[in-house]
Amino acid sequence: MTLSRRPLGSSGLEVSILSLGSWRTYERIPQEQAVDVMVEARAAGIDFLDDARYDDETGTAPMRTGWSEVLFGRLFRESGWAREQVVIANKLWWEFWPEQSALEELDGSLERTGLDYLDLEYACPPPDGLSAERVVEEIAPLLASGKLRAWGAVNWTAEQIIEATHAARRIGIPPPCAVQLPYSLVQRRYVEQETMQNALREAGASVVASASLAGGALSGKYATAREGRLIGELENPRYARAFAAAVRLGEIAQGIDASPAALAYAYVLRHPSVASVLFGATSPAQVAENAAAAELLERVDDATWSALDELAPPAPSD
């Protein structure tokens, strides 16, 4: 199977319209199952993988932080991908800045994953004292070293993106090519607001959509599920709109013989700024279900998209 691919901003990279993430996943399932997830992703045509370093929460990892990267590298090598055929992304957290430079943080990630280079590094929101311009200055040596092909940002404001874009042009490096932002049927504001759209155009950047199932609330499983990450949040006002929308989403999906998750992903992929939608999976079946979003892009009619539009209002004009 081959998923369609889209340009990742002005980087020259192209990525599959679905991206497989690893956040809080692989250390929680058997290694054989994790390999099966990656193998199914490869079979589905996914060539965009997202990794990140984070602190161990299981109490079983041999290191406090970064075991997630060790596992990712191990699973990647066992899954049969050719390195040059995959776009691999990671994150700069600035957790130990300024004692640890961006280049030192990247080197640590490469050592733990066993990779020679990364295709994309997302800069997380900078801490106090680290301006967007200084972030660009930290990024420049990473690109010059050959250990990084392109860079982006995660959860940055439009103002930060514009500041970084201007700084990158002054310094002589490419601006951010991708911005990872929450974007779903019920959370459209971050991507659709005019200031963000202007910033994306200024940078020549694409959106990599995250949280497109609203933490799982739009998956449809909580209508009957007795367990799951959000089972204790069913009465939480934070998720009320998503759980309510999930009911109607499920009805619409059933009417077109689709899963709610695949339809939710397809909806996000319709936006012209979106290059790829990021998702996590704990089983091969879940990967296959989500990959069906590609087929829905081709066969869902305008009336169905309009019905989905009504589940949440668009972002207000800035």
Side-chain angles (χ1 to χ4, degrees):
M1 178 177 179
T2 301
L3 289 180
S4 61
R5 304 171 83 234
R6 296 178 180 177
L8 193 64
S10 57
S11 66
L13 299 173
E14 287 193 345
V15 295
S16 55
I17 59 173
L18 294 173
S19 171
L20 180 66
S22 58
W23 184 258
R24 301 174 70 186
T25 300
Y26 295 139
E27 70 273 31
R28 287 174 162 78
I29 60 177
Q31 184 167 320
E32 297 80 4
Q33 184 175 335
V35 171
D36 289 343
V37 167
M38 280 200 163
V39 169
E40 179 63 31
R42 181 165 58 87
I46 294 172
D47 63 11
F48 190 15
L49 305 179
D50 191 287
D51 186 35
R53 173 182 61 83
Y54 50 86
D55 292 349
D56 174 56
E57 298 173 334
T58 67
T60 62
M63 59 181 68
R64 183 186 68 82
T65 186
W67 182 240
S68 54
E69 292 178 313
V70 175
L71 280 178
F72 173 85
R74 181 180 298 170
L75 296 170
F76 175 73
R77 285 184 288 277
E78 291 185 17
S79 299
W81 263 297
R83 175 65 185 92
E84 66 276 8
Q85 296 177 343
V86 184
V87 174
I88 297 180
N90 207 312
K91 291 183 174 68
L92 285 171
W93 292 103
W94 313 109
E95 184 178 3
F96 305 113
W97 185 87
E99 288 79 14
Q100 183 186 61
S101 68
L103 184 56
E104 289 169 332
E105 186 172 352
L106 172 62
D107 283 341
S109 291
L110 292 176
E111 181 179 359
R112 286 185 291 273
T113 57
L115 299 172
D116 295 326
Y117 67 95
L118 291 175
D119 299 285
L120 176 67
E121 188 88 307
Y122 293 108
C124 292
D128 292 343
L130 183 61
S131 66
E133 181 169 4
R134 182 64 187 277
V135 167
V136 173
E137 294 172 351
E138 289 272 330
I139 293 289
L142 278 61
L143 297 171
S145 72
K147 300 174 183 178
L148 180 66
R149 298 177 68 190
W151 74 285
V154 56
N155 296 339
W156 278 27
T157 66
E159 292 76 17
Q160 288 173 316
I161 295 167
I162 290 175
E163 181 184 349
T165 297
H166 293 170
R169 288 175 178 150
R170 286 195 300 271
I171 293 172
I173 69 168
C177 69
V179 184
Q180 191 179 117
L181 292 169
Y183 189 39
S184 71
L185 279 165
V186 294
Q187 179 53 279
R188 296 162 60 182
R189 176 174 60 88
Y190 293 118
V191 169
E192 294 184 3
Q193 60 186 341
E194 186 176 352
T195 52
M196 180 58 72
Q197 285 295 305
N198 289 339
L200 294 170
R201 283 190 290 269
E202 179 77 12
S206 300
V207 170
V208 176
S210 64
S212 295
L213 293 185
L218 294 175
S219 66
K221 69 180 182 180
Y222 289 100
T224 57
R226 298 183 180 277
E227 60 181 18
R229 192 169 67 87
L230 295 184
I231 201 68
E233 307 290 341
L234 296 179
E235 304 301 323
N236 188 336
R238 175 184 175 188
Y239 295 101
R241 187 169 66 166
F243 283 130
V247 175
R248 178 62 179 143
L249 172 64
E251 294 170 349
I252 295 172
Q254 185 176 20
I256 61 170
D257 192 25
S259 77
L263 187 55
Y265 289 136
Y267 179 87
V268 169
L269 283 166
R270 291 178 67 240
H271 196 284
S273 296
V274 174
S276 190
V277 174
L278 175 64
F279 73 92
T282 57
S283 71
Q286 191 176 3
V287 174
E289 176 187 349
N290 294 342
E295 179 263 338
L296 293 178
L297 282 174
E298 303 298 326
R299 71 173 176 89
V300 173
D301 59 25
D302 290 341
T304 301
W305 296 129
S306 295
L308 293 172
D309 282 335
E310 295 173 1
L311 294 183
S317 299
D318 292 271

Coordinates of all heavy atoms in Angstrom, one line a residue, residues 20 25-41 75 78-79 281-287:
L20 N 3.5 8.2 12.3 CA 3.4 7.3 13.4 C 4.2 7.8 14.6 O 5.4 8.0 14.5 CB 3.8 5.9 13.1 CG 3.8 4.8 14.2 CD1 2.3 4.6 14.7 CD2 4.5 3.5 13.8
T25 N 4.2 5.1 24.5 CA 3.6 3.9 23.9 C 4.4 2.6 24.0 O 4.0 1.6 24.6 CB 3.3 4.2 22.4 OG1 2.4 5.3 22.2 CG2 2.7 2.9 21.7
Y26 N 5.6 2.6 23.4 CA 6.4 1.4 23.2 C 6.9 0.8 24.5 O 7.1 -0.5 24.6 CB 7.5 1.6 22.2 CG 7.1 2.0 20.8 CD1 7.7 2.9 20.1 CD2 5.9 1.4 20.3 CE1 7.3 3.3 18.8 CE2 5.5 1.7 19.0 CZ 6.2 2.7 18.3 OH 5.7 3.0 17.0
E27 N 7.1 1.6 25.5 CA 7.5 1.0 26.8 C 6.4 0.4 27.6 O 6.6 -0.3 28.6 CB 8.2 2.1 27.7 CG 7.3 3.1 28.2 CD 7.1 4.3 27.3 OE1 7.1 4.1 26.1 OE2 6.9 5.4 27.8
R28 N 5.2 0.5 27.1 CA 4.0 0.0 27.7 C 3.4 -1.2 27.1 O 2.4 -1.7 27.6 CB 2.9 1.1 27.8 CG 3.2 2.2 28.8 CD 2.2 3.4 28.7 NE 2.3 4.2 29.9 CZ 3.2 5.1 30.1 NH1 4.1 5.3 29.2 NH2 3.2 5.8 31.2
I29 N 4.0 -1.7 26.0 CA 3.5 -2.9 25.3 C 4.6 -3.8 25.1 O 5.8 -3.4 25.1 CB 2.8 -2.5 24.0 CG1 3.7 -1.8 23.0 CG2 1.5 -1.7 24.3 CD1 3.1 -1.5 21.7
P30 N 4.4 -5.1 24.9 CA 5.5 -6.0 24.6 C 6.2 -5.6 23.4 O 5.7 -5.1 22.4 CB 4.7 -7.4 24.4 CG 3.4 -7.2 25.2 CD 3.1 -5.8 25.0
Q31 N 7.5 -5.9 23.4 CA 8.4 -5.5 22.3 C 7.9 -6.1 21.0 O 8.0 -5.5 19.9 CB 9.8 -5.9 22.6 CG 10.8 -5.4 21.5 CD 12.2 -5.5 21.9 OE1 12.6 -5.2 23.0 NE2 13.1 -6.0 21.0
E32 N 7.5 -7.4 21.0 CA 7.0 -8.0 19.8 C 5.8 -7.3 19.2 O 5.7 -7.2 18.0 CB 6.7 -9.5 20.0 CG 7.8 -10.4 20.5 CD 8.1 -10.2 22.0 OE1 7.4 -9.5 22.7 OE2 9.1 -10.8 22.4
Q33 N 4.9 -6.9 20.1 CA 3.8 -6.1 19.6 C 4.2 -4.8 19.0 O 3.6 -4.3 18.0 CB 2.8 -5.9 20.8 CG 1.5 -5.3 20.5 CD 0.6 -5.2 21.7 OE1 0.7 -6.1 22.6 NE2 -0.3 -4.3 21.7
A34 N 5.1 -4.1 19.7 CA 5.6 -2.8 19.2 C 6.2 -3.0 17.8 O 6.0 -2.1 16.9 CB 6.6 -2.2 20.1
V35 N 7.0 -4.1 17.6 CA 7.5 -4.3 16.2 C 6.4 -4.5 15.2 O 6.5 -4.0 14.1 CB 8.5 -5.5 16.3 CG1 8.9 -5.9 14.8 CG2 9.7 -5.2 17.1
D36 N 5.4 -5.3 15.6 CA 4.3 -5.5 14.7 C 3.6 -4.2 14.3 O 3.1 -4.0 13.2 CB 3.2 -6.4 15.4 CG 3.7 -7.9 15.5 OD1 4.7 -8.2 14.8 OD2 3.1 -8.6 16.3
V37 N 3.5 -3.3 15.3 CA 2.9 -1.9 15.0 C 3.7 -1.2 13.9 O 3.2 -0.7 12.9 CB 2.8 -1.1 16.2 CG1 2.5 0.4 15.9 CG2 1.8 -1.6 17.2
M38 N 5.0 -1.3 14.1 CA 5.9 -0.6 13.1 C 5.9 -1.3 11.7 O 5.9 -0.6 10.7 CB 7.3 -0.5 13.6 CG 7.6 0.6 14.6 SD 9.4 1.0 14.7 CE 9.3 2.6 15.5
V39 N 5.8 -2.6 11.7 CA 5.8 -3.3 10.5 C 4.5 -3.0 9.7 O 4.5 -2.8 8.5 CB 5.9 -4.9 10.7 CG1 5.6 -5.7 9.5 CG2 7.3 -5.2 11.2
E40 N 3.4 -3.0 10.5 CA 2.1 -2.6 9.8 C 2.1 -1.2 9.3 O 1.6 -0.9 8.2 CB 1.0 -2.8 10.9 CG -0.4 -2.4 10.3 CD -0.9 -3.3 9.2 OE1 -0.5 -4.5 9.2 OE2 -1.6 -2.8 8.3
A41 N 2.8 -0.3 10.0 CA 2.9 1.1 9.5 C 3.6 1.1 8.2 O 3.2 1.8 7.3 CB 3.5 2.0 10.6
L75 N 13.4 -0.8 17.9 CA 12.3 -1.2 17.2 C 12.4 -0.8 15.7 O 12.0 -1.6 14.8 CB 11.0 -0.6 17.8 CG 10.7 -1.0 19.2 CD1 9.5 -0.2 19.8 CD2 10.3 -2.5 19.3
E78 N 14.5 -3.3 13.9 CA 13.9 -4.6 13.8 C 12.7 -4.6 12.8 O 12.2 -5.7 12.5 CB 13.4 -5.1 15.2 CG 14.5 -5.4 16.1 CD 14.1 -6.0 17.4 OE1 12.9 -6.5 17.4 OE2 14.8 -6.0 18.4
S79 N 12.3 -3.5 12.4 CA 11.0 -3.4 11.6 C 11.2 -3.4 10.1 O 10.3 -3.5 9.3 CB 10.3 -2.1 12.0 OG 9.9 -2.1 13.3
A281 N -0.2 4.3 18.1 CA -1.0 3.0 18.0 C -0.3 2.0 18.9 O 0.9 1.9 19.0 CB -1.1 2.6 16.5
T282 N -1.2 1.1 19.4 CA -0.7 0.0 20.3 C -0.9 -1.3 19.6 O -0.6 -2.4 20.2 CB -1.3 0.0 21.7 OG1 -2.7 0.0 21.5 CG2 -0.9 1.3 22.4
S283 N -1.5 -1.4 18.4 CA -1.8 -2.6 17.7 C -1.7 -2.4 16.2 O -2.0 -1.3 15.7 CB -3.1 -3.2 18.1 OG -4.2 -2.4 17.6
P284 N -1.4 -3.4 15.5 CA -1.4 -3.3 14.0 C -2.8 -3.0 13.5 O -3.0 -2.2 12.5 CB -1.0 -4.7 13.5 CG -0.2 -5.3 14.7 CD -0.8 -4.7 15.9
A285 N -3.8 -3.5 14.1 CA -5.2 -3.2 13.7 C -5.5 -1.7 13.8 O -6.2 -1.2 13.0 CB -6.2 -4.1 14.5
Q286 N -5.0 -1.1 14.8 CA -5.2 0.3 15.0 C -4.5 1.1 13.9 O -5.1 2.1 13.4 CB -4.7 0.8 16.4 CG -5.1 2.2 16.8 CD -4.7 2.5 18.2 OE1 -4.0 1.7 18.8 NE2 -5.0 3.7 18.6
V287 N -3.3 0.7 13.5 CA -2.6 1.3 12.4 C -3.5 1.2 11.1 O -3.7 2.2 10.4 CB -1.2 0.7 12.2 CG1 -0.6 1.3 10.9 CG2 -0.4 1.0 13.4

